[in-house]
Amino acid sequence: MENHWIKSPCSEKCAGAISFVKKAQVRDHIASAKVMISSVGLYELVINEQKVGNRVLTPGFTSYNKRGIQYQKYDITDYLSSENTVRITVAPGWAVGYIGYAHNKEI
């Protein structure tokens, strides 16, 4: 199995959230399916109109120069059916958006 980074279609910084949507079919029974996901900013993962996980503002504040990029791992087995729509919405956040009262950017 390969891992892939998904790149924004914006050539310059986008003003808001961007959604990536992929449709996928499952032909055989799946015993287990897991996804590892992160974002330099914020993300939300939705499979078949069901939000995956119970967190908001994921992945949370990170000191990127000390910890690297956090990721979360979810068991998505129960979210899948024979026809699937996966939507990942990403937005500016801790790393690339404004934060705090002083409107500091990209801390």
Side-chain angles (χ1 to χ4, degrees):
M1 183 169 102
E2 295 182 28
N3 298 319
H4 299 281
W5 285 97
I6 300 172
K7 184 179 175 186
S8 169
C10 299
S11 58
E12 298 295 321
K13 291 185 180 178
C14 294
I18 301 170
S19 290
F20 298 91
V21 179
K22 177 78 174 178
K23 294 191 181 280
Q25 295 180 336
V26 175
R27 295 182 191 161
D28 298 320
H29 171 75
I30 294 179
S32 177
K34 299 196 178 17
V35 63
M36 291 184 287
I37 184 170
S38 190
S39 172
V40 179
L42 307 172
Y43 75 82
E44 180 181 67
L45 172 61
V46 175
I47 299 176
N48 296 328
E49 301 302 320
Q50 296 181 55
K51 182 180 182 312
V52 176
N54 60 1
R55 299 177 182 179
V56 295
L57 303 177
T58 312
F61 182 79
T62 302
S63 178
Y64 293 100
N65 61 346
K66 293 184 181 178
R67 291 193 58 189
I69 296 176
Q70 293 184 46
Y71 68 91
Q72 289 69 48
K73 183 176 182 178
Y74 299 101
D75 183 338
I76 59 168
T77 309
D78 293 338
Y79 291 84
L80 299 176
S81 63
S82 59
E83 301 282 332
N84 301 283
T85 302
V86 178
R87 183 179 76 238
I88 301 170
T89 302
V90 295
W94 315 116
V96 294
Y98 290 98
I99 186 169
Y101 295 111
H103 296 289
N104 294 328
K105 187 167 178 152
E106 298 178 0
I107 59 173

